[in-house]
Amino acid sequence: MSSSSAAVHVLHDNPEWIPPFRRAFEAEGVPLVEWHLGDGTLDLDAEPPRGVIWSRLSASSHTRGAPLAKDAARSITAWAASWGRRVVNGQHVADLEVSKVIQHATLRRAGFDVPRTIAVFGRDGLIGAAQDIEAPFITKHNQGGKGLGVRRFDDHGSFAAYVRGEDFEQAADGITLLQELLVASEPAITRAEFVGGQFVCAVRVDTSAGGFELCPAEACALPGAGDDGVAPEPMFRLRPEVSAEDPLIQRYAALLTDLGIEIAGIEYMTTTDGRTVTYDVNTNTNYNPDVEAGLEVSAARRIARYLGGLLHEAEQAR
């Protein structure tokens, strides 16, 4: 990829997620250039394009025909940084995005309450490893997103039958997680959004319909009303009572700063036994359009402003 003028270059693997950001960047007057991950070539002796490199690698990229996206993101961001380009959510962040093991270890080390989890490498050891976790429990894929590999098992026998059966779903990297089943005090989780190290908002995600795919993106929105013709309660809505002064939010902000993660969403829940459990760090964060409309400045425009500022600084330093 080449560009003669400076821009924010967004690395991504899903064009359907880009339109809200393109509109925000246009509104802020910040040039945005798309760089699709997983194909093409990279001349390591050539100078990267001028501007800021912003990685939006998704852990579920392999489900959209881009199994090489994670390696492309690691390579491009490392190459760009080696030339002195300003990189946002670079190589080390890509490693965290595609590994729930790394996320769990990072959160635990920072002192957050995390779910009891066993990582199993390959299929052969799953049945035996499950004996060390109490039923009911859930499975997850280490390289997740979209609720990949998330299933509930109420007993070890049904899990053994699943592992031996034809319906077994192999993880992209061969790593399956066995995790305690957390029971929420209400059918909802909270997602805290951050841009440039600053808290943007907290979003309540309704989980009463069941399932584990909680995509907030515009491209995932489902139109329509309920069977009675009345629109259902929104799945995503702001939690205005959660502010930047909240001690948990401050801890999340400090963690992201320590890790060098500039744009992310962190998911947590409160359990029936009073735990506040943090279980996901999403560096490919998307925003629900209804939630965005309720903000004074949308998260997408905050990103455009933040990256626009970095772009200006990079050009000033030339």
Side-chain angles (χ1 to χ4, degrees):
M1 170 171 290
S2 63
S3 176
S4 58
S5 58
V8 174
H9 299 267
V10 54
L11 313 183
H12 71 88
D13 54 74
N14 188 358
E16 293 184 358
W17 288 342
I18 297 301
F21 296 103
R22 181 163 294 285
R23 292 193 296 269
F25 276 71
E26 289 175 353
E28 294 294 328
V30 179
L32 184 70
V33 176
E34 294 184 46
W35 190 332
H36 193 268
L37 291 168
D39 52 24
T41 61
L42 186 65
D43 185 346
L44 300 183
D45 295 318
E47 188 172 347
R50 284 172 53 193
V52 173
I53 308 296
W54 169 35
S55 175
R56 277 185 47 81
L57 169 68
S58 167
S60 60
S61 57
H62 59 287
T63 69
R64 291 182 292 275
L68 302 180
K70 65 180 180 180
D71 298 301
R74 289 166 173 155
S75 300
I76 293 168
T77 53
W79 164 73
S82 76
W83 282 86
R85 293 295 185 267
R86 181 64 165 88
V87 177
V88 174
N89 285 6
Q91 178 186 1
H92 67 292
V93 180
D95 291 340
L96 184 140
E97 167 68 19
V98 300
S99 175
K100 293 189 181 300
V101 167
I102 295 177
Q103 292 178 29
H104 186 283
T106 301
L107 291 166
R108 182 200 53 77
R109 185 180 66 238
F112 294 96
D113 189 349
V114 291
R116 160 76 172 138
T117 306
I118 300 172
V120 183
F121 303 89
R123 184 173 182 174
D124 293 344
L126 278 167
I127 295 174
Q131 300 304 311
D132 292 328
I133 195 162
E134 184 178 351
F137 60 91
I138 64 171
T139 60
K140 290 182 178 180
H141 287 178
N142 179 55
Q143 184 179 334
K146 296 174 59 178
L148 290 172
V150 181
R151 294 173 180 250
R152 171 176 172 159
F153 294 93
D154 292 320
D155 58 79
H156 293 89
S158 61
F159 176 67
Y162 165 68
V163 173
R164 296 188 182 108
E166 295 180 356
D167 292 336
F168 177 75
E169 187 181 359
Q170 183 67 265
D173 59 4
I175 305 173
T176 300
L177 306 184
L178 308 177
Q179 194 168 89
E180 69 170 306
L181 178 67
L182 299 171
V183 180
S185 57
E186 62 171 330
I189 61 95
T190 299
R191 183 177 174 117
E193 301 287 1
F194 298 84
V195 173
Q198 301 298 311
F199 174 67
V200 175
C201 64
V203 180
R204 181 187 186 275
V205 185
D206 190 327
T207 60
S208 59
F212 299 94
E213 185 173 351
L214 306 176
C215 174
E218 179 180 276
C220 299
L222 298 175
D227 294 337
D228 56 1
V230 178
E233 286 293 314
M235 184 175 180
F236 302 89
R237 64 172 185 246
L238 284 170
R239 288 192 60 189
E241 75 277 11
V242 179
S243 72
E245 285 69 45
D246 186 295
L248 182 62
I249 297 300
Q250 292 180 344
R251 290 181 64 200
Y252 287 153
L255 173 70
L256 295 176
T257 297
D258 289 345
L259 296 174
I261 300 175
E262 297 175 75
I263 301 171
I266 300 180
E267 294 182 6
Y268 64 96
M269 64 184 292
T270 302
T271 64
T272 53
D273 56 356
R275 296 167 62 192
T276 297
V277 181
T278 306
Y279 63 90
D280 187 57
V281 181
N282 191 323
T283 63
N284 174 53
T285 192
N286 290 297
Y287 306 109
N288 176 262
D290 294 333
V291 169
E292 287 280 79
L295 294 172
E296 183 176 346
V297 179
S298 72
R301 289 193 70 161
R302 282 177 179 258
I303 289 177
R305 291 180 184 181
Y306 176 65
L307 297 184
L310 296 183
L311 179 62
H312 178 73
E313 292 175 6
E315 285 299 289
Q316 291 292 104
R318 282 177 59 87

